[in-house]
Amino acid sequence: MEQGDERMTNARQGPVLQLRSMPQPITNQPDVQPTPATARPEANLPPTGRKRRKPNAKGNRKRSEVWDHFNIIPNSDPETAACKHCHQRYGCSSKNGTSNMKNHLMNTCPIYPFSLKNDRTQTILKFPSTEGADLVAVTARFDQLDCRNALAVYIILDEKPFRTVEGEGFKYFCSRMQPQFSIPSRRTIARDCFKLYLEEKIKLKALFKSDCSRVAITTDCWTSVQNLNYLTVTAHFIDREWKYQKRIVSFTTVPNHKGETVGKKLEEVLKEWGLRNVSTVTVDNASSNDVAVAYLKKRIKNMNGLLFDGFGFHMRCCAHVLNLVVGDGLKDLHPSVSSVRNAVRFVRSSPHRAAKFKECIEFAGIECKKLVCLDVSTRWNSTYLMLAAAEKYQAAFDKLEDADASYRDYFDDDESPPSNFDWENVRAFVKFLKYFYEATIVFSVSTEASLHTAFPHLATIFIELKKSANQANDNRNTSRDSASSVVEAASHVQTAVETTTQLARENAFQNHLKVIDSVTVETELQGYLKAKNIEFVEKFDILSWWKNKAVEYPILSQLVRDIMPTPVSTVASESAFSTGGRVLEVYRSSLKPDMAEALICTQNWLRPSFYQFKAMEFDEEYEICEDALNGLVGSSAASGQPSQSQPSGCV
C-alpha cells in the first residue's frame, strides 16, 4: 500500500450509506477487499492497487450503495466491476449506470444473502411451534402476500378484531420483526380473511368428495346479543387415513328456531356442500328438533342417502340426557346439598371465618389440600366438585359447629348445619355422580366425542344404574334375577348380530362393493365375532385397529367408517354443563352474518393444522389455583409475613 493511500485510509470518517430495502451484509470473501471511503462522506476511494477515479463532468462521485458489493476492475476497457460475492462482472461506465448491478444483487446473485433468488433455493431450519413436531425447512425470502395471509390466519385463529392491525403496539412489533412488511388496513385484512374462507371452503369440498363416503351431522342453535338466531351445522366423518374429522359447514342466521325452518336450512346446507349420504343427525331434546329431523329424514330418503332405511337416524344428545338425570338427582337430594352449600358459603364469606376453619382443619388432623369452593347454580359439575371437596372436611365442619356460634346462627330457622345423614347422602351422591362427570367430560371436551369413545362410559353408567336399582329392592329373588339377566343379555347379543348383518349388507350395496351377497356378509361377520380377543390396552386406538384390518374385513370396515363418527353430543365444551342458553359473544355479534360465518368456519377448519385444542376443566383450574396459593402461603410462612394475595374465603 502506498503511503498516501495509507494516510487517507486512516482518515476515513462517517458511515456508509445504505438502502432501506437492502440491509448491509457482512461478507467473508478473502480475495476481495472492501472499498474504503474518503474523509468526505460523499466520496469513495478506489480499492488498493488502482488509480483514483476522476470526478465526472458534474463533479459528483459514485455514491450508490451497490459499490459496497462491487469492485471496479483496474485498467478494464470498457470499465467493468466485479461482484464481491460471486465475482460476476458488469459494465459500470457512466453509460451503463448501476441498475444492472443492483438487479444482480437482488435477483440473480447466488451468494448474496438478501438475494430473492437465493431465498427461493436456500432454506433454514425452523423449530416447531407445537410439542412433538419435527424441525421443518422454511424459506427466508420475504413475501408480502404470504405475510398478509399469515396475518389473516392470526386474526382468525386467535379471534382478534380487525382493528388490531391499526394498533400502535402491533405496528411497532411488525416494524421490528419485519420492516419490509406493509401493514394492511382493517378493511383489507377483513377482505383477506374472507378470501381465505373461500379458499378453504373449496379445499374442504374437495376433501368431502375424495375422502368421505358418509357423514354424521350435529346442529345447534345460538343467539347473538342482537337477538339474531344462528344455526350451526357440523359434519363428522372418518377419512381414508382413518382419522376422525369434524368440520363446521355452516353458521348462518335463521328467522326462527321452528322445526320446519331448521329442517329446510339443513337441507339447503347439505345440498350446497354436496353431502347426500347422511348416517345420523344428533340434536338436543327440544321438541322442535323432532320436526326438523323428520323433515330432513324424508328429504334424504328421497335422495337414497339413508342408511338402513333411517335406522338410528335421529340421535339424542347424551350430554343433555345426562344433565336431565343429574338435575332430577339434585332435586331429590336438595336439602342435603343445600345444607353443605351454606356451610361452604359461610367459610368463604370472610378471611376471619376462613382462618377459623383452617384451625378446625388442623385440629381435626385433615391432610387433604383440596380447595373448598362454592358452586355455580347453572353448572352441575361445579356442584359435584364442591361436594367432592367438602365431604373430606366433615370433621372440620363438625368442629366449627362446636367452636363458633356464628356458624350455627348463619343458617335459617328451617335449616341447620350438615348432619351425619346429610354427609352420607352427599358421599353416596358424589360416588355415583363421578361416572356422569367423567362421561360428560368425554362427550363435550374430547375432539373425538363419537360412539367409540362414548360407549365405555355409557356402559358404566348403565351398569351402575342397574346395580343401584337391584340394591334398592331387598326382597328380589337373586337367582331368578341372575337367570333373567343372562336371558336378557343373550337376546341383546342376537339382536345386535342381526342388525349388524343387515347394516353391513345394505352399506356394501350403497358403497358399490363387489361382494354384496348375504353369504359373504354373514361369513365375514361370523369370522369377526369368532376372532380371538385382543389383550387389554389402556388407551386402545380402535380406528387404527380397523385401519389395519380393512383388508381382512372390507365390508365391516366400511360400515365402521360410516357409523363410528356418529357424535354423541351437540354442545360445546364451554356450555356442556350449563342449563342456560348459548349466546354468541359480543365481538362476533357485531359482525355481519356472512363475516361471522367466515371467521367461525375458517377457524374450525384451520385449527387441526396448527394445534389440538384442549379445554381446561374446573378441577384443573382448582388444582392450579391451589398450587399457586400454597406457594404464596409457603413463601409467606417462611418469611414470617401473612399472605396478602389469597382470595377471601378460599380454603
Side-chain angles (χ1 to χ4, degrees), residues 62-264:
K62 291 183 172 61
R63 296 183 300 170
S64 174
E65 58 283 331
V66 301
W67 293 112
D68 295 330
H69 307 280
F70 279 85
N71 280 333
I72 296 180
I73 300 176
N75 303 323
S76 57
D77 188 21
E79 196 171 21
T80 308
C83 176
K84 293 181 180 181
H85 308 288
C86 66
H87 309 296
Q88 178 69 32
R89 299 185 178 188
Y90 288 90
C92 63
S93 65
S94 58
K95 180 171 59 178
N96 296 114
T98 59
S99 297
N100 56 346
M101 292 184 284
K102 185 182 297 185
N103 181 68
H104 165 78
L105 285 175
M106 298 304 299
N107 295 289
T108 61
C109 183
I111 300 178
Y112 179 58
F114 298 94
S115 170
L116 295 181
K117 178 184 179 187
N118 181 62
D119 289 340
R120 293 190 186 99
T121 57
Q122 185 174 350
T123 59
I124 58 175
L125 286 178
K126 174 182 177 295
F127 285 95
S129 58
T130 56
E131 183 179 357
D134 298 327
L135 290 173
V136 293
V138 297
T139 179
R141 175 176 62 93
F142 170 72
D143 189 326
Q144 174 74 14
L145 293 179
D146 186 60
C147 289
R148 276 179 51 180
N149 183 73
L151 179 57
V153 172
Y154 160 70
I155 294 292
I156 293 173
L157 282 182
D158 289 356
E159 300 180 12
K160 299 296 183 182
F162 297 137
R163 65 175 180 272
T164 299
V165 298
E166 298 179 351
E168 294 300 324
F170 182 80
K171 291 180 180 179
Y172 174 76
F173 171 77
C174 291
S175 67
R176 306 301 294 175
M177 178 66 71
Q178 178 51 268
Q180 300 181 63
F181 179 51
S182 177
I183 302 176
S185 66
R186 60 179 176 178
R187 295 184 181 274
T188 301
I189 198 61
R191 290 194 295 267
D192 289 346
C193 290
F194 199 83
K195 178 183 177 183
L196 182 61
Y197 159 71
L198 297 178
E199 293 173 352
E200 293 297 324
K201 187 174 183 179
I202 294 175
K203 295 179 184 178
L204 185 55
K205 283 187 176 181
L207 178 65
F208 281 140
K209 187 175 182 180
S210 62
D211 266 27
C212 179
S213 60
R214 188 179 296 275
V215 299
I217 65 174
T218 57
T219 180
D220 204 2
C221 297
W222 293 69
T223 304
S224 70
V225 295
Q226 301 168 338
N227 289 327
L228 295 178
N229 300 313
Y230 280 89
L231 180 72
T232 178
V233 183
T234 307
H236 307 251
F237 62 98
I238 295 176
D239 61 21
R240 295 189 181 276
E241 295 298 323
W242 287 86
K243 300 295 184 182
Y244 177 84
Q245 306 284 352
K246 63 177 182 179
R247 300 290 188 271
I248 297 178
V249 295
S250 178
F251 191 90
T252 183
T253 56
V254 289
N256 53 67
H257 291 160
K258 294 181 179 179
E260 186 174 355
T261 303
V262 173
K264 290 182 178 179

Side-chain angles (χ1 to χ4, degrees), residues 282-484:
T282 304
V283 293
D284 58 24
N285 296 317
S287 58
S288 60
N289 286 328
D290 297 340
V291 178
V293 174
Y295 175 89
L296 186 63
K297 181 178 180 180
K298 181 179 179 181
R299 295 296 182 179
I300 295 179
K301 184 177 181 180
N302 294 337
M303 296 185 293
N304 196 29
L306 292 178
L307 181 64
F308 194 33
D309 197 28
F311 173 78
F313 183 77
H314 187 179
M315 296 289 293
R316 305 285 181 177
C317 175
C318 290
H320 283 275
V321 174
L322 294 184
N323 274 340
L324 295 176
V325 174
V326 173
D328 290 341
L330 287 173
K331 291 178 182 178
D332 294 338
L333 295 176
H334 177 71
S336 298
V337 173
S338 178
S339 180
V340 173
R341 181 183 292 115
N342 288 332
V344 173
R345 184 181 288 114
F346 173 83
V347 299
R348 283 178 49 88
S349 58
S350 71
H352 174 74
R353 291 173 175 176
K356 187 68 175 179
F357 184 64
K358 282 189 176 182
E359 294 177 2
C360 296
I361 294 175
E362 295 174 359
F363 182 84
I366 300 175
E367 298 181 356
C368 179
K369 296 184 180 299
K370 281 194 173 183
L371 292 175
V372 178
C373 292
L374 201 60
D375 65 338
V376 181
S377 60
T378 58
R379 302 178 74 91
W380 65 261
N381 69 318
S382 66
T383 303
Y384 160 73
L385 295 173
M386 178 193 70
L387 297 177
E391 62 93 9
K392 293 178 172 56
Y393 295 98
Q394 178 185 354
F397 281 109
D398 292 342
K399 176 62 180 175
L400 185 65
E401 183 178 359
D402 297 333
D404 193 346
S406 62
Y407 174 63
R408 298 188 298 270
D409 297 338
Y410 185 79
F411 293 83
D412 297 333
D413 296 337
D414 56 342
E415 294 181 347
S416 62
S419 62
N420 289 333
F421 177 76
D422 293 327
W423 289 116
E424 290 177 2
N425 284 341
V426 166
R427 286 192 179 91
F429 190 56
V430 166
K431 181 180 178 181
F432 189 72
L433 202 61
K434 179 181 178 182
Y435 301 109
F436 290 84
Y437 176 77
E438 293 175 349
T440 308
I441 290 290
V442 174
F443 296 167
S444 56
V445 176
S446 174
T447 57
E448 299 183 5
S450 57
L451 290 178
H452 65 286
T453 57
F455 178 77
H457 297 275
L458 292 176
T460 300
I461 291 176
F462 173 76
I463 292 173
E464 292 299 323
L465 285 173
K466 195 166 186 179
K467 186 187 299 184
S468 300
N470 292 340
Q471 292 175 353
N473 189 356
D474 297 331
N475 298 325
R476 190 167 183 175
N477 190 311
T478 306
S479 60
R480 182 179 301 176
D481 177 59
S482 301
S484 62

Side-chain angles (χ1 to χ4, degrees), residues 572-587:
S573 59
E574 66 270 15
S575 60
F577 306 99
S578 177
T579 57
R582 289 173 291 282
V583 180
L584 195 63
E585 45 104 4
V586 177
Y587 163 60

